[in-house]
């Protein structure tokens, strides 16, 4: 079978044949872009990539760099230090607006230029080149291939960077930027000049969708940092059309003036499109229409969440034991259903088997809920046996990424894997 995914992407590109808007011209080199380019890539969290149109054409990342560099700044300095210098409020202003909070002097958010320049300055590195190199390493790790800087765009942008220079000097006057403003703008401009394709951007977005982890299992961002970045993208990623975007498309996103636009559906998918003509907000005209159409066709809106699986757990009787067979990824709502099942077990010493053979992932809250349920079954007198071949209970990650052992979490009763019980339960 030929997957309908690719046909759908071609159909999608065909649906935005008409284009409007202008290619960015305030950076001379960007004006040379072919305005008719159109490409799309969709990356799943397990590493599958679907692409159509100009998916291998390179363009500069521009402002799509901002969320990734913001993540690096937090990793380098800690969230509190970053929040001290950059706020997280949507500004409602254009991307290059001189928009600092009156009281604190902080840029409103890291997605507008003022905040992005401040974030770049917080990345560790002695000078522009050192910071840009670390940033390039990070983007390459996210994209899964070695990226490079488009030197022609960099030179062109730096030679016309007066406004960004003004922002950087102003940030220094209000104490929100340490170091030499010209050096910071140089580094920031290098960061914006990283050359990418929609395939690269879709993969980078898929890492954000996966809580900071690549399909190969490389945990690039701490889950808490990743969440911070996605939240800021959701509220501030589309400049002064952020409200429009969140209501009509409804996923964290970021656009760049070279015509790139990425969207992240947490837990599901990373999407990138490329079409250089921009609307008056500075967002790719066809890019926005593609996302609106996908939202309609694929039900991507964050505020229309998929209902959790109803059939997460079932109870069987086997060899005198009550077997709770649990399946699927576990979060709060699924764990609550499992606990409901446990609660129906009458007090007594009848053996209970908790079979997690079909569970590969549980978030921290689901894991703790299950452990507490198991502890209570045990307390009620049951001989509880746990089938946990994937180590869901013993090694689930907490929000901070550290491992919490079963014993710490539930007071002395050590859950273990009993593969032999698994075969017994299935026999
Ligand atoms: N490098 C561009 C600038 O600082 C980024 C703007 C954008 O992509 O929106 O003006």
């Amino acid at each position: 079978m030929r997957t309908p995914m690719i046909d759908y992407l071609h159909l999608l590109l065909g649906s935005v044949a008409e284009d409007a808007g202008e290619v960015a011209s305030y950076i001379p080199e960007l004006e040379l872009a072919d305005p008719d380019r159109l490409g799309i890539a969709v990356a799943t969290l397990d590493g599958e990539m679907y692409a159509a149109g100009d998916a291998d054409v390179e363009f500069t990342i521009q402002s799509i760099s901002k969320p990734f560099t913001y993540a690096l700044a937090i990793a380098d300095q800690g969230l509190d230090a970053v929040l001290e210098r950059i706020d997280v409020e949507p500004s409602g202003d254009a991307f290059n607006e001189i928009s600092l909070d009156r009281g604190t002097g902080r840029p409103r958010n890291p997605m507008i230029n003022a905040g992005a320049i401040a974030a770049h300055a917080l990345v560790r590195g002695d000078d522009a080149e050192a910071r840009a190199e670390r940033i390039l390493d990070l983007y390459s790790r996210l994209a899964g291939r070695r990226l490079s800087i488009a030197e022609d765009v960099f030179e062109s942008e730096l030679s016309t960077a007066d406004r960004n220079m003004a922002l950087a000097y102003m940030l220094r006057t209000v104490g929100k930027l340490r170091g030499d403003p010209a050096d910071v703008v140089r580094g920031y401009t290098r960061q914006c000049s990283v050359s990418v394709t929609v395939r690269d951007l879709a993969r980078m977005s898929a890492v954000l969708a996966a809580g900071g982890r690549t399909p190969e299992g490389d945990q690039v961002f701490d889950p808490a940092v990743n969440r911070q970045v996605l939240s800021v993208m959701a509220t501030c990623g589309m400049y002064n059309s952020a409200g429009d975007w969140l209501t009509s498309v409804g996923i964290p996103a970021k656009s760049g003036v070279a015509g790139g636009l990425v969207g992240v559906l947490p837990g599901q998918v990373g999407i990138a499109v490329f079409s250089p003509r921009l609307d008056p907000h500075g967002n790719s005209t066809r890019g926005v229409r593609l996302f609106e159409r996908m939202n309609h066709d694929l039900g991507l809106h964050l505020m229309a969440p998929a209902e959790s699986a109803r059939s997460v757990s079932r109870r069987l009787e086997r060899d005198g034991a009550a077997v709770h067979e649990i399946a699927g990824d576990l979060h709060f709502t699924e764990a609550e259903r499992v606990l409901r099942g446990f609660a129906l077990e009458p007090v007594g010493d009848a053996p209970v088997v908790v079979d997690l053979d079909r569970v590969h992932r549980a978030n921290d809250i689901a894991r703790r809920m299950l452990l507490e349920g198991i502890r209570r079954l045990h307390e009620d007198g049951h001989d509880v046996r746990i089938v946990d071949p994937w180590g869901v209970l013993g090694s689930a990650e907490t929000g901070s990424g550290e491992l919490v052992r079963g014993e710490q979490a539930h007071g002395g009763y050590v859950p273990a894997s009993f593969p032999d019980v698994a075969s017994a339960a299935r026999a």
Side-chain angles (χ1 to χ4, degrees):
M1 185 202 82
R2 174 186 152 98
T3 169
M5 279 296 299
I6 299 286
D7 298 335
Y8 171 70
L9 293 186
H10 282 118
L11 196 80
L12 201 58
L13 294 187
S15 76
V16 294
E18 296 288 309
D19 199 5
E22 300 295 333
V23 170
S25 59
Y26 75 103
I27 298 169
E29 196 67 23
L30 292 188
E31 213 176 354
L32 304 177
D34 177 351
D36 297 323
R37 293 290 190 190
L38 180 64
I40 184 165
V42 175
T44 66
L45 307 199
D46 61 355
E48 190 63 48
M49 175 81 66
Y50 301 101
D54 296 314
D56 295 307
V57 172
E58 300 213 348
F59 53 95
T60 48
I61 190 168
Q62 297 298 340
S63 282
I64 301 169
S65 64
K66 291 170 179 173
F68 301 103
T69 296
Y70 180 56
L72 185 56
I74 300 172
D76 280 357
Q77 309 290 343
L79 182 59
D80 290 345
V82 173
L83 286 176
E84 223 169 80
R85 282 162 194 269
I86 311 164
D87 206 350
V88 288
E89 290 303 328
S91 75
D93 289 326
F95 71 96
N96 56 3
E97 199 53 51
I98 301 188
S99 155
L100 304 185
D101 184 83
R102 276 169 200 264
T104 63
R106 284 183 298 175
R108 299 255 186 223
N109 66 68
M111 300 293 116
I112 55 170
N113 285 10
I117 291 167
H120 173 91
L122 290 171
V123 169
R124 274 195 279 113
D126 289 340
D127 58 16
E129 272 64 34
R131 287 190 304 276
E133 206 46 43
R134 287 193 64 231
I135 287 169
L136 189 62
D137 286 346
L138 169 71
Y139 298 178
S140 301
R141 194 170 156 203
L142 294 165
R145 72 170 184 118
R146 189 67 203 164
L147 301 175
S148 61
I149 290 172
E151 296 292 344
D152 46 352
V153 177
F154 165 68
E155 295 295 346
S156 171
E157 185 166 345
L158 191 64
S159 69
T160 55
D162 299 342
R163 202 176 168 95
N164 285 340
M165 214 63 96
L167 285 171
Y169 276 99
M170 206 185 54
L171 284 168
R172 192 168 65 168
T173 65
V174 294
K176 297 299 165 198
L177 189 131
R178 270 194 303 247
D180 171 16
D183 179 69
V184 170
V185 171
R186 185 181 164 80
Y188 164 75
T189 308
R190 285 190 82 65
Q191 153 191 333
C192 290
S193 305
V194 172
S195 195
V196 289
T197 66
V198 283
R199 289 180 196 273
D200 298 324
L201 291 179
R203 207 190 116 109
M204 293 167 80
S205 311
V207 174
L208 292 176
R213 188 190 291 259
T214 68
E216 294 75 34
D218 177 14
Q219 189 75 44
V220 184
F221 301 129
D222 181 280
V225 174
N226 197 82
R227 197 182 57 211
Q228 174 79 10
V229 171
L230 285 180
S231 307
V232 174
M233 284 171 77
T235 51
C236 315
M238 297 298 280
Y239 302 131
N240 39 345
S241 69
D244 250 1
W245 176 267
L246 192 59
T247 48
S248 63
V249 181
I251 58 175
K254 189 72 205 83
S255 65
V257 283
L261 175 54
V262 302
V264 178
L265 187 59
Q268 294 197 42
V269 77
I271 303 173
V273 300
F274 168 54
S275 172
R277 285 192 225 257
L278 308 180
D279 65 18
H281 300 295
N283 299 322
S284 166
T285 312
R286 286 197 286 187
V288 171
R289 290 208 342 254
L290 284 171
F291 269 97
E292 283 170 352
R293 172 95 202 243
M294 278 187 278
N295 162 261
H296 176 265
D297 294 347
L298 309 176
L300 298 183
H301 206 293
L302 264 192
M303 306 302 166
E307 233 201 284
S308 78
R310 279 170 194 276
S311 52
V312 63
S313 122
R314 63 174 182 164
R315 183 183 183 282
L316 316 164
E317 297 262 355
R318 252 183 224 143
D319 303 330
V323 182
H324 289 257
E325 269 187 3
I326 306 166
D329 289 352
L330 304 183
H331 311 94
F332 167 76
T333 43
E334 290 85 10
E336 184 272 336
R337 278 182 197 277
V338 172
L339 288 184
R340 243 190 270 178
F342 287 179
L344 294 177
E345 293 299 336
V347 175
D349 60 5
V352 173
V353 178
V354 177
D355 185 352
L356 296 164
D357 189 24
R358 290 187 190 78
V359 178
H360 288 247
R361 270 182 7 174
N363 71 4
D364 184 48
I365 181 66
R367 186 182 60 78
R368 283 187 283 126
M369 288 166 75
L370 249 65
L371 287 170
E372 178 59 16
I374 291 164
R375 191 186 68 77
R376 288 178 182 219
L377 284 172
H378 195 66
E379 209 171 64
D380 279 356
H382 295 288
D383 171 17
V384 186
R385 286 173 252 162
I386 304 163
V387 182
D388 185 13
W390 309 106
V392 168
L393 292 183
S395 63
E397 282 183 358
T398 64
S400 65
E402 77 197 19
L403 296 181
V404 171
R405 297 205 152 281
E407 310 104 83
Q408 290 168 342
H410 69 289
Y413 179 74
V414 185
S417 297
F418 293 103
D420 48 333
V421 177
S423 30
R426 255 180 246 112

